[in-house]
């Protein structure tokens, strides 16, 4: 009898946790409805003008800002994190691992605002210093903009990448450790070097787990608010260079919700921004899960 009650309680808890996604989305939709009644979704998503006092709510610069800063963070984080995890799992001795792994765990527990302060004190001045070097380089996304204060997409991407490192490293490390030793032995016995074994056998066997780690890191990066809004500049325009300022959706919501609510439709617009952000995360996670399933089927098929 106790087992039945415990099982039903756990089932109810699991169902409630799953239903929370739909409840949150439904509430956000209800609160966003006033602006959707007077403006089309296409006009809101593709509009590039954000002037609430004139009733203009274009989300396009904010959506692009979110996508750009997250993509930059993943470009920095994925290769460095996977190489770090591979080194720790395959090359590092026990003493080195006992020193580095706790530090990576500690990095995961640092509050986002601390990363934001670090970004303002260290990353933003660094970006401001290197931006002039690329001013006339002619390289797309690097040469745009004649002056950079350092508060930019690049600063946001670097800070986000630092925040994502521990997630991808920790999970990838455990995945590498879980690869059967026979896989390495078989590869080495065929004459492959240690690096060739890691590259062609270990990483291939660990690919689904690495993909899962990247998905979790991506979900963390795209929804991050505090650290990003402190370093990205918060200017509602479409950036043409990584040295220019941007304004991601989480920063828009955090900076403005609770203020200027006397402006008609303003709160509905911000809650629609929250709904858009949630749907971006939901669909990107679903897409990543589908890719993960295809990788697993290809490896086991």
């Amino acid at each position: 009898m106790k087992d039945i009650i415990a099982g039903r309680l756990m089932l109810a808890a699991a169902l409630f946790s799953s239903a929370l996604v739909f409840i949150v989305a439904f509430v956000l939709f209800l609160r966003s409805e006033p602006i959707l009644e007077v403006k089309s979704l296409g006009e809101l998503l593709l509009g590039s003008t954000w002037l609430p006092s004139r009733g203009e709510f274009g989300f396009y610069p904010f959506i692009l800002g979110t996508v750009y800063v997250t993509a930059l963070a993943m470009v920095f984080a994925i290769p460095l994190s996977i190489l770090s995890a591979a080194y720790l799992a395959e090359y590092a001795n026990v003493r080195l691992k006992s020193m580095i792994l706790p530090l990576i765990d500690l990095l995961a527990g640092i509050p986002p605002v601390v990363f934001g302060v670090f970004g303002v004190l260290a990353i933003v001045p660094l970006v401001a210093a290197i931006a002039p070097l690329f001013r006339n380089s002619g390289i797309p996304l690097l040469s745009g903009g004649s002056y950079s204060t350092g508060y930019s997409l690049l600063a946001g991407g670097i800070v986000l990448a630092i925040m994502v490192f521990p997630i991808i490293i920790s999970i990838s490390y455990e995945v590498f450790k879980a690869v059967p030793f026979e896989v390495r032995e078989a590869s080495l016995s065929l004459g492959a070097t240690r690096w060739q074994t890691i590259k062609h056998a270990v990483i291939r066997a660990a690919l689904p787990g690495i993909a899962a780690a990247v998905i979790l890191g991506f979900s963390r990066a795209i929804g991050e608010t505090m650290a990003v809004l402190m370093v990205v500049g918060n200017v509602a325009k479409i950036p043409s260079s990584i040295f220019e300022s941007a304004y991601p959706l989480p920063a828009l919501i955090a900076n403005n919700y609770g203020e200027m609510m006397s402006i008609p439709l303003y709160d509905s617009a911000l809650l629609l921004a929250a709904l858009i952000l949630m749907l971006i995360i939901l669909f990107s996670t679903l897409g990543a899960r589908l890719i993960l399933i295809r990788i697993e089927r290809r490896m086991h098929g």
Side-chain angles (χ1 to χ4, degrees):
M1 187 63 182
K2 288 183 179 178
D3 286 344
I4 295 173
I5 294 173
R8 288 181 177 174
L9 280 174
M10 287 186 281
L11 174 64
L15 290 175
F16 177 72
S17 302
S18 304
L20 276 177
V21 175
F22 300 100
I23 293 171
V24 172
F26 182 66
V27 170
L28 289 176
F29 175 75
L30 285 182
R31 296 294 303 274
S32 309
E33 224 173 357
I35 195 169
L36 292 172
E37 289 175 353
V38 297
K39 293 183 180 293
S40 70
L41 187 59
E43 184 184 353
L44 292 167
L45 293 180
L46 301 178
S48 56
T49 303
W50 180 262
L51 287 173
S53 57
R54 297 183 186 175
E56 297 185 38
F57 300 96
F59 290 114
Y60 192 57
F62 305 102
I63 294 172
L64 275 189
T66 304
V67 172
Y68 284 172
V69 77
T70 305
L72 262 179
M74 300 312 289
V75 165
F76 294 136
I78 291 173
L80 289 175
S81 300
I82 293 175
L83 288 175
S84 300
Y87 175 78
L88 289 171
E90 304 294 330
Y91 289 99
N93 57 42
V94 176
R95 186 180 176 189
L96 186 62
K97 280 192 280 191
S98 67
M99 289 190 292
I100 292 180
L101 289 174
L103 291 177
I104 292 173
D105 293 337
L106 180 64
L107 196 63
I110 295 175
V113 68
V114 177
F115 286 107
V117 171
F118 169 74
V120 171
L121 296 177
I123 305 299
V124 168
L126 176 66
V127 173
I130 64 173
L133 303 177
F134 295 92
R135 187 175 301 160
N136 300 314
S137 65
I139 303 172
L141 297 179
L142 290 180
S143 57
S146 58
Y147 173 74
S148 176
T149 60
Y151 290 93
S152 59
L153 277 174
L154 181 59
I158 293 173
V159 170
L160 267 184
I162 295 171
M163 297 178 71
V164 168
F165 281 154
I167 297 173
I168 302 180
I169 291 175
S170 299
I171 299 175
S172 299
Y173 170 77
E174 295 300 332
V175 171
F176 282 130
K177 297 295 288 181
V179 173
F181 187 68
E182 290 77 11
V183 173
R184 299 173 180 81
E185 278 190 326
S187 177
L188 292 171
S189 66
L190 292 173
T193 63
R194 198 170 181 184
W195 167 242
Q196 288 171 330
T197 297
I198 294 169
K199 183 180 175 184
H200 297 293
V202 177
I203 289 183
R204 180 178 170 80
L207 200 55
I210 294 172
V214 171
I215 292 169
L216 285 175
F218 176 81
S219 300
R220 167 74 189 270
I222 199 169
E224 179 52 46
T225 306
M226 185 55 69
V228 176
L229 74 84
M230 292 174 72
V231 299
V232 83
N234 303 326
V235 178
K237 66 172 187 177
I238 299 173
S240 60
S241 164
I242 61 174
F243 296 112
E244 292 185 357
S245 298
Y247 208 158
L249 282 170
L252 169 71
I253 300 165
N255 275 338
N256 296 284
Y257 195 76
E259 298 178 4
M260 296 188 289
M261 288 305 160
S262 57
I263 297 175
L265 301 177
Y266 197 82
D267 61 332
S268 293
L270 291 180
L271 289 166
L272 179 60
L275 181 60
I276 292 170
L277 180 64
M278 184 177 176
L279 291 177
I280 290 174
I281 296 173
L282 181 63
F283 285 116
S284 58
T285 304
L286 286 175
R289 291 293 302 175
L290 289 175
I291 294 171
L292 182 59
I293 290 170
R294 290 190 65 178
I295 292 173
E296 287 177 336
R297 284 180 179 170
R298 191 177 62 189
M299 292 185 64
H300 296 100

